[in-house]
């Protein structure tokens, strides 16, 4: 294959030297752009390699004037494409695997002057609680040639996807062509829509809302989602998590540079932007319920067929997000989270708390962004 562009040395569970200056654990991922080498120590998680390559692309593509993204992408029968941004567990893989659309890729893409393209040749799907009923495309992609990671199976090689005794982060890597409706080669035109995913475990954000350019930049830089009890040691209640550009560990440049490039591309190609919440409604985690995947898919279908963009909108208090008043087959109390809570007073209290979390996180970027971008965030009464 000739001279490699970059070389990855993965030592598996062989640990990093914790006595090395700056080392904080037995796991390390080191990248040298001059030597074009990456060294991975002390981890048996294969995802470090793919995310290492994403980190490389976060640098190289920006140098070329293109925008690298932690995102999934698919294409409709009309040839129009959609990008889905989001942190792990928010639904990038699940929602981009749509039987009515062609999959371009599920995790890493670049948006250039010529359109979008997939960095990878396959997918790396979460397997926890996987079933054919919920995610048929992913379930059926797991066959000879796929690689399962951290799963538990019996003597008949039947996998128990509910078993998380090794880790909740069970995975499967499979070639893109294992998805029956994959787009090959994995290229697409400029996106008509970008959908920014969050899993709000506080039950505050609407399941879908339309974003202005300042709101896109604010929420992209924020990269909000929430962790829930049981996913990490020590977490006993919902915890806000912010990861700039939905991939802070992989960024090489300042987050504002990626956000400016995204805003530029959106305006240049007249793409619509949406914030999609796949988290809780009617209350926080443990009180309310998870937003139905059926409703989520219905709302995405309404984005793609254009009906949602033409709906009548109302402004969400504090966050200023534009919430559609109607979406076919989705109840109004689902569209507007304030209507799904039993207590308006309790909802407003939690709304203010979440807004404050956003503001506290964004304080680190205030000196690097314009007042216009700041206006895209939540505003609390004085």
């Amino acid at each position: 294959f000739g001279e490699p562009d970059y070389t990855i040395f993965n030592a598996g569970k062989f640990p990093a030297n914790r006595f090395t200056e700056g080392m904080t654990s037995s796991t390390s991922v080191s990248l040298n752009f001059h030597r074009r080498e990456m060294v991975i120590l002390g981890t048996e998680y294969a995802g470090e390699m793919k995310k290492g390559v994403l980190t490389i692309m976060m640098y190289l593509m920006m140098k070329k004037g293109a925008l690298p993204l932690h995102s999934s992408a698919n294409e409709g029968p009309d040839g129009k494409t959609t990008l889905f941004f989001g942190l792990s567990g928010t639904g990038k893989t699940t929602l981009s695997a749509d039987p009515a659309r062609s999959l371009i890729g599920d995790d890493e893409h670049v948006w250039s002057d010529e359109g979008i393209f997939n960095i990878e040749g396959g997918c790396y799907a979460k397997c926890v609680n996987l079933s054919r009923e919920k995610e048929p495309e992913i379930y059926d992609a797991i066959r000879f040639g796929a690689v399962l990671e951290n799963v538990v199976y019996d003597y008949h090689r039947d996998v128990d996807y509910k078993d998380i005794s090794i880790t909740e982060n069970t995975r499967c890597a499979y070639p893109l062509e294992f998805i029956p409706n994959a787009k090959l080669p994995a290229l697409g035109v400029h996106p008509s829509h970008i959908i920014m995913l969050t899993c709000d475990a506080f039950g505050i954000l609407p399941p879908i809302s339309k974003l202005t350019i300042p709101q896109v930049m604010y929420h992209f830089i924020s990269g909000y989602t929430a962790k829930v009890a049981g996913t990490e040691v020590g977490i006993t209640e919902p915890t806000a998590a912010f990861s700039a550009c939905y991939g802070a560990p992989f960024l090489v440049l300042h987050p504002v540079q990626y956000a400016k490039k995204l805003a530029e591309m959106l305006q240049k190609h007249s793409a619509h932007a949406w914030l999609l919440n796949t988290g809780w409604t009617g209350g926080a985690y443990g009180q309310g319920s998870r937003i139905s995947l059926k409703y989520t898919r219905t709302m995405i279908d309404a984005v793609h067929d254009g009906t949602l963009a033409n709906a009548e909108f109302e402004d969400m208090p504090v966050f200023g997000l534009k919430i559609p008043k109607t979406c076919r087959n989705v109840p109004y109390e689902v569209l507007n989270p304030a209507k799904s809570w039993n207590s308006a007073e309790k909802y407003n209290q939690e709304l203010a708390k979440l807004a404050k979390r956003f503001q506290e996180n964004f304080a680190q970027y205030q000196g690097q962004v314009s007042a216009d971008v700041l206006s895209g965030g939540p505003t609390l009464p004085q």
Side-chain angles (χ1 to χ4, degrees):
F1 296 102
E3 187 71 20
D5 294 313
Y6 277 76
T7 303
I8 299 174
F9 299 98
N10 190 334
K13 65 181 180 181
F14 185 85
N17 185 347
R18 299 186 67 169
F19 294 101
T20 302
E21 184 179 355
M23 199 68 67
T24 57
S25 77
S26 59
T27 299
S28 69
V29 181
S30 304
L31 174 59
N32 188 314
F33 284 104
H34 177 69
R35 294 180 56 163
R36 297 185 299 167
E37 292 178 348
M38 185 187 308
V39 177
I40 302 171
L41 301 172
T43 173
E44 294 177 86
Y45 171 52
E48 302 295 2
M49 291 184 286
K50 69 183 247 76
K51 285 301 190 283
V53 173
L54 176 61
T55 304
I56 293 169
M57 297 297 271
M58 284 287 181
Y59 176 65
L60 297 181
M61 291 298 99
M62 287 289 281
K63 284 182 66 177
K64 293 180 178 291
L67 177 63
L69 296 162
H70 185 208
S71 69
S72 59
N74 62 23
E75 180 184 272
D78 56 2
K80 294 180 179 179
T81 66
T82 295
L83 285 169
F84 298 82
F85 305 167
L87 295 167
S88 179
T90 56
K92 284 196 315 300
T93 299
T94 299
L95 296 174
S96 58
D98 186 332
R101 297 173 66 83
S102 299
L103 179 70
I104 296 174
D106 80 330
D107 199 50
E108 301 173 9
H109 292 83
V110 173
W111 188 357
S112 73
D113 287 336
E114 297 178 5
I116 59 174
F117 66 87
N118 188 355
I119 295 173
E120 306 174 289
C123 301
Y124 191 56
K126 278 180 170 285
C127 295
V128 60
N129 295 321
L130 181 66
S131 69
R132 180 178 276 117
E133 180 185 7
K134 289 182 179 178
E135 300 174 88
E137 291 81 17
I138 297 172
Y139 188 92
D140 290 335
I142 301 176
R143 57 183 190 266
F144 186 80
V147 179
L148 282 161
E149 181 182 359
N150 292 327
V151 298
V152 175
Y153 56 93
D154 62 20
Y155 290 107
H156 302 290
R157 296 166 64 88
D158 292 325
V159 178
D160 182 358
Y161 293 111
K162 294 185 177 66
D163 192 326
I164 55 172
S165 57
I166 298 175
T167 175
E168 190 168 318
N169 192 20
T170 54
R171 296 278 184 162
C172 181
Y174 49 86
L176 195 57
E177 57 265 27
F178 278 23
I179 296 290
N181 57 340
K183 170 86 184 294
L184 298 170
L187 308 167
V189 299
H190 296 290
S192 300
H193 301 276
I194 67 161
I195 298 176
M196 301 165 75
L197 302 169
T198 184
C199 178
D200 177 29
F202 299 99
I204 299 301
L205 296 179
I208 195 161
S209 52
K210 201 170 191 308
L211 301 178
T212 63
I213 292 295
Q215 287 173 335
V216 168
M217 293 184 69
Y218 186 95
H219 285 275
F220 186 60
I221 293 169
S222 297
Y224 165 71
T225 193
K227 298 173 183 177
V228 296
T231 57
E232 290 187 21
V233 175
I235 294 179
T236 57
E237 59 183 22
T239 305
F242 297 92
S243 183
C245 307
Y246 301 102
F250 323 123
L251 303 183
V252 180
L253 308 178
H254 193 281
V256 173
Q257 293 194 47
Y258 297 97
K260 286 180 177 177
K261 185 65 178 177
L262 175 60
E264 174 195 319
M265 298 296 272
L266 282 171
Q267 291 173 309
K268 184 176 180 180
H269 301 289
S270 303
H272 294 281
W274 307 84
L275 182 66
L276 186 84
N277 174 24
T278 60
W280 271 255
T281 185
Y285 172 84
Q287 300 156 8
S289 58
R290 191 81 187 255
I291 296 169
S292 164
L293 181 58
K294 177 183 175 183
Y295 287 148
T296 298
R297 289 197 183 278
T298 298
M299 289 182 283
I300 292 174
D301 289 343
V303 165
H304 288 145
D305 66 23
T307 57
L308 208 59
N310 294 321
E312 186 179 351
F313 292 85
E314 58 185 324
D315 288 340
M316 177 187 179
V318 179
F319 277 84
L321 300 170
K322 295 194 174 299
I323 304 173
K325 288 186 175 181
T326 58
C327 178
R328 65 179 185 277
N329 300 322
V330 181
Y332 176 66
E333 61 269 19
V334 173
L335 292 172
N336 189 329
K339 307 300 181 184
S340 67
W341 283 57
N342 292 328
S343 168
E345 182 182 3
K346 180 67 174 172
Y347 174 80
N348 289 327
Q349 288 173 353
E350 295 303 316
L351 170 64
K353 287 181 185 177
L354 183 61
K356 190 175 181 183
R357 292 183 182 104
F358 268 85
Q359 291 176 339
E360 289 171 348
N361 171 72
F362 209 83
Q364 63 187 304
Y365 307 115
Q366 279 187 294
Q368 289 84 34
V369 299
S370 66
D372 196 35
V373 174
L374 288 173
S375 73
T379 303
L380 286 167
Q382 297 299 322

